[in-house]
């Protein structure tokens, strides 16, 4: 989904965030963080 929306790119099996799309990716991450529960830092 993130590739099709051009939020991340993939090359040789490595995925990278597209710089200008980081705020959108941050929003996705924050909206789904509660699904993971507490994670030790």
């Amino acid at each position: 989904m993130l590739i099709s929306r051009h939020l991340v790119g993939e090359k040789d099996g490595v995925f990278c965030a597209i710089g200008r799309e980081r705020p959108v990716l941050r929003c996705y991450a924050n909206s789904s963080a509660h699904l993971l529960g507490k994670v030790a830092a």
Side-chain angles (χ1 to χ4, degrees):
M1 175 184 89
L2 299 176
I3 292 174
S4 65
R5 293 184 180 184
H6 306 288
L7 300 175
V8 298
E10 183 269 332
K11 184 175 182 180
D12 298 326
V14 177
F15 296 90
C16 296
I18 296 174
R20 67 181 181 273
E21 302 299 346
R22 286 180 189 243
V24 177
L25 289 170
R26 192 174 296 114
C27 181
Y28 274 110
N30 289 335
S31 68
S32 60
H34 70 281
L35 299 173
L36 299 175
K38 266 194 166 177
V39 178

